[in-house]
Amino acid sequence: MTNFIKKIKAPDRTPGLDLKKKLTIFCVLVSLSQVHAYAGSSGSTKELEKIEQQNSISGQVKDQNGIPLPGATVAIKGTKIGTTTDFDGKFSLAGDENSVLVVSFVGFITQEIVVKNKSNIVVQLKENAAALEEVVVVGYGKMKKKDLTGAIVQVKPEALANQNPQTVQDLLRGVPGLKVGYSADAKGGGSLQIRGQTSVYNPDGANHNSPLIILDGMQFYGELSEINPDDVGQIDILKDASATAVYGSRAAAGVIVISTKRGKTGKPVINVTTNTTIVNESAYRDVYSPEGYIKYRQDWETAKTYGQNTATGNYEAWITGTAAGKPGYYTNPGQLDQYGITEAQWLAYQPVGQTQGKSLNEVWGLRLGITDAMLLKNFTEGKTHNWYDSTFRTGINHDHNLSVSGASDKVNYYMSLGYLTSEGAIQGNDYSAVRANMKVDAKITSWLEFGANVNFQDRTDGDIAVGTGTNYWDANMLRNSPFSVFKEANGEYARQPMGQTIGGYNYYYDRQFIELEKGYTVLNTIFNTKVNLPFGITYSFNVAPRYQFFYNRYFQSSGHKGWN
């Protein structure tokens, strides 16, 4: 019992011992936390002391003329510490004596300044002349890039001279944000859209989505073909809404500002350029060769014979129609082995009266539906004509330009003359143009300046090309059979190449009896006067009269046999 009682009492003494242990552990933890807090406080104090040891770097940023530059960026190299200057060009930031300041501003050359023991630093930035002095034409004048805030793209045609551009549109291809269309005819060109279509309202092709064109400071009402790419000195594309500040709602689709070349001071410069290029059709639907045409006729007629074979239950050829039970009826008589029949059996598919006195090819041609005597004769004799070659061609373009330019203290002049002949990839698609430009700026007196820019063009603006339309009513020679007649036996062009029954179309016969004279003669002029008045006042006067003559004369001869 004694041992039992001791075992029972033993747990009664345990709580007292646990309480002491807990107190001891608590005291130890409190001590450790105080040590940790002291260590943390000591580290923070050192960090604060370190910050307090840093210097306050201040200064001012100015341009090369001593004018403060507000908004300039000042940063410590290799860190994320930085600031911008205030309205007076002043700045202040924390750094030590080993800091290197990087000072930058738009249009100026970035500088690096070593602080050392300086506490007040004056930084003088120099302009980046290459970027700031480049002139961009905006509105009714010119601005430097340092004054621009809008989205503007500049094109220098000299950089594209080796591409031999034929039109102004060729100069603009590839410009970001500008969509340049493509015209496959001899004249070339294409539509222009800045940042895509801006309006759904475009009645009768009224060009509501086309940008406004400004030529040498004045609105241009002609078409871009009147401007010789060889005369273009610079093109500026104004793409954002700021363009409307000067031009109003007409600039809602953007503005393209074209500046023509001027003379350069020194001896007169004579420039002669000549370009020759070739043009081929890029893609057009394929037409059948004589062999392909026959296969097409054969498949067409054979398709009519398909039906269900009651014996086998399969859908097979030679079941219905004229050729029912006559396998190989429309097949080339030289390929009858596949059906296991002889030529005699093949001929026997028809009454003797329909085949007697006719060659195998004649019988075959008649079965294929070639019933016109002339077409059947050409078919049996293997005479064909390639209407594809009569429709398309390899066009040759020539562009010749001559310019004379120069300048002195009083006069600046540029004169040019160009002649362009262009052949399209379609027969009969021709274009020609004579373009001339005279630009003179003269300083009459110390207070009076006068300028004249005269642009002349005489161009053809219409032709009689081979038709390539795909509508059933379009005259298209590619629809003619390869066995049709291009020229009669007497050497004259055939009026009905597929015979009197079908007719067909031959452009070359019709072309003998029609003629078209259509084009424009344009004189686009810009005159400007500048008067320097007292008190620094300048008065400018601009006028741009335009003269345009259009002619359209179409002739038809009564000698055409089908028009009588």
Side-chain angles (χ1 to χ4, degrees):
M1 287 296 292
T2 304
N3 292 336
F4 177 75
I5 294 172
K6 284 183 179 178
K7 289 181 180 180
I8 293 298
K9 289 182 179 180
D12 293 339
R13 294 192 295 269
T14 303
L17 294 173
D18 289 344
L19 178 61
K20 291 179 180 180
K21 289 181 180 179
K22 289 180 179 180
L23 289 173
T24 302
I25 294 172
F26 176 77
C27 292
V28 173
L29 290 174
V30 170
S31 300
L32 290 174
S33 63
Q34 289 176 347
V35 172
H36 178 72
Y38 174 78
S41 175
S42 175
S44 301
T45 304
K46 290 180 180 179
E47 194 68 28
L48 290 172
E49 289 177 354
K50 184 177 179 181
I51 293 175
E52 289 175 356
Q53 290 174 0
Q54 289 185 342
N55 299 323
S56 177
I57 304 172
S58 60
Q60 188 179 28
V61 180
K62 301 179 180 180
D63 65 7
Q64 56 192 11
N65 297 320
I67 300 175
L69 293 176
T73 301
V74 182
I76 296 179
K77 188 175 182 180
T79 71
K80 295 182 179 180
I81 302 174
T83 185
T84 57
T85 58
D86 59 16
F87 183 77
D88 296 320
K90 296 180 179 180
F91 67 91
S92 178
L93 72 169
D96 56 33
E97 61 181 9
N98 296 321
S99 299
V100 178
L101 299 182
V102 179
V103 185
S104 61
F105 191 70
V106 177
F108 289 79
I109 300 175
T110 301
Q111 290 190 24
E112 295 186 1
I113 308 296
V114 180
V115 175
K116 293 184 178 179
N117 297 322
K118 302 175 185 177
S119 59
N120 189 26
I121 301 173
V122 177
V123 183
Q124 195 169 34
L125 296 181
K126 295 182 180 180
E127 291 182 349
N128 188 350
L132 292 177
E133 297 304 320
E134 190 169 352
V135 175
V136 177
V137 179
V138 291
Y140 291 105
K142 300 177 181 179
M143 295 179 66
K144 295 183 179 179
K145 278 193 173 180
K146 63 182 180 181
D147 300 322
L148 292 176
T149 58
I152 295 180
V153 178
Q154 188 175 87
V155 178
K156 294 286 189 180
E158 290 85 354
L160 305 174
N162 59 339
Q163 299 181 15
N164 301 330
Q166 180 177 315
T167 64
V168 174
Q169 287 90 332
D170 294 337
L171 294 174
L172 297 173
R173 299 189 192 280
V175 173
L178 179 63
K179 179 183 177 182
V180 182
Y182 176 75
S183 178
D185 59 14
K187 185 177 181 180
S191 61
L192 297 175
Q193 286 185 358
I194 295 178
R195 290 182 174 173
Q197 184 168 320
T198 57
S199 173
V200 296
Y201 178 70
N202 192 36
D204 301 325
N207 295 326
H208 280 267
N209 293 295
S210 299
L212 178 67
I213 307 297
I214 302 297
L215 176 64
D216 288 330
M218 295 296 290
Q219 185 171 338
F220 182 64
Y221 293 94
E223 63 175 51
L224 290 177
S225 69
E226 299 171 14
I227 303 173
N228 191 338
D230 204 55
D231 294 338
V232 177
Q234 178 177 311
I235 302 178
D236 297 284
I237 298 96
L238 316 184
K239 298 191 292 183
D240 60 7
S242 63
T244 61
V246 175
Y247 302 107
S249 61
R250 292 298 305 275
V255 182
I256 296 179
V257 184
I258 302 175
S259 303
T260 55
K261 292 179 180 178
R262 303 178 76 249
K264 297 181 180 180
T265 304
K267 296 181 179 179
V269 177
I270 300 176
N271 187 37
V272 179
T273 62
T274 179
N275 299 318
T276 300
T277 58
I278 61 174
V279 179
N280 291 306
E281 89 279 0
S282 57
Y284 193 78
R285 59 178 183 170
D286 294 332
V287 296
Y288 287 123
S289 63
E291 296 76 19
Y293 178 76
I294 293 302
K295 183 67 169 60
Y296 148 72
R297 296 301 299 257
Q298 183 178 337
D299 292 343
W300 178 268
E301 297 297 337
T302 303
K304 300 176 183 179
T305 70
Y306 272 81
Q308 187 175 13
N309 189 332
T310 56
T312 63
N314 296 328
Y315 191 72
E316 300 174 357
W318 323 114
I319 302 299
T320 62
T322 306
K326 303 173 182 179
Y329 185 82
Y330 298 111
T331 304
N332 186 334
Q335 301 174 352
L336 298 176
D337 293 343
Q338 57 184 311
Y339 298 103
I341 60 175
T342 64
E343 294 178 353
Q345 291 175 314
W346 182 77
L347 288 173
Y349 285 155
Q350 292 177 271
V352 177
Q354 296 179 6
T355 61
Q356 191 174 14
K358 296 182 176 65
S359 67
L360 292 174
N361 278 344
E362 282 184 275
V363 173
W364 182 36
L366 290 170
R367 290 181 181 181
L368 293 177
I370 305 177
T371 56
D372 184 85
M374 179 181 62
L375 295 179
L376 184 61
K377 182 175 183 296
N378 288 342
F379 170 73
T380 56
E381 295 178 358
K383 293 181 179 179
T384 63
H385 180 73
N386 191 333
W387 292 100
Y388 200 91
D389 289 345
S390 296
T391 300
F392 298 103
R393 67 182 176 186
T394 298
I396 301 178
N397 303 334
H398 299 283
D399 189 10
H400 311 287
N401 295 283
L402 168 67
S403 66
V404 180
S405 62
S408 64
D409 295 338
K410 299 291 184 181
V411 179
N412 185 299
Y413 62 92
Y414 177 90
M415 294 176 287
S416 69
L417 176 65
Y419 178 61
L420 171 69
T421 59
S422 180
E423 295 178 347
I426 300 176
Q427 295 282 1
N429 180 209
D430 302 310
Y431 175 77
S432 64
V434 177
R435 297 178 288 199
N437 184 39
M438 182 186 70
K439 187 175 183 180
V440 179
D441 295 309
K443 189 172 183 180
I444 309 301
T445 65
S446 59
W447 54 271
L448 177 62
E449 297 179 15
F450 176 78
N453 187 353
V454 180
N455 186 62
F456 169 82
Q457 184 197 48
D458 183 74
R459 70 177 187 268
T460 60
D461 211 30
D463 52 38
I464 305 175
V466 177
T468 56
T470 57
N471 296 309
Y472 70 88
W473 60 82
D474 292 324
N476 190 335
M477 290 194 301
L478 296 176
R479 293 196 178 113
N480 292 338
S481 165
F483 300 102
S484 55
V485 178
F486 181 62
K487 286 187 176 182
E488 303 286 3
N490 58 8
E492 295 182 357
Y493 292 111
R495 183 175 72 87
Q496 296 176 311
M498 295 187 66
Q500 295 182 359
T501 304
I502 303 175
Y505 168 66
N506 190 346
Y507 160 84
Y508 293 90
Y509 177 84
D510 291 353
R511 188 65 180 85
Q512 300 173 106
F513 304 100
I514 53 179
E515 191 60 63
L516 175 66
E517 296 176 0
K518 182 180 180 181
Y520 285 87
T521 300
V522 179
L523 191 66
N524 192 77
T525 60
I526 301 174
F527 300 101
N528 58 81
T529 303
K530 182 177 179 181
V531 181
N532 296 320
L533 301 175
F535 307 107
I537 300 175
T538 301
Y539 176 76
S540 297
F541 175 76
N542 300 295
V543 61
R546 175 182 172 84
Y547 304 93
Q548 179 174 291
F549 306 94
F550 172 71
Y551 55 93
N552 185 1
R553 297 182 284 269
Y554 183 77
F555 305 93
Q556 283 187 337
S557 171
S558 59
H560 193 293
K561 297 178 181 179
W563 296 340
N564 293 331

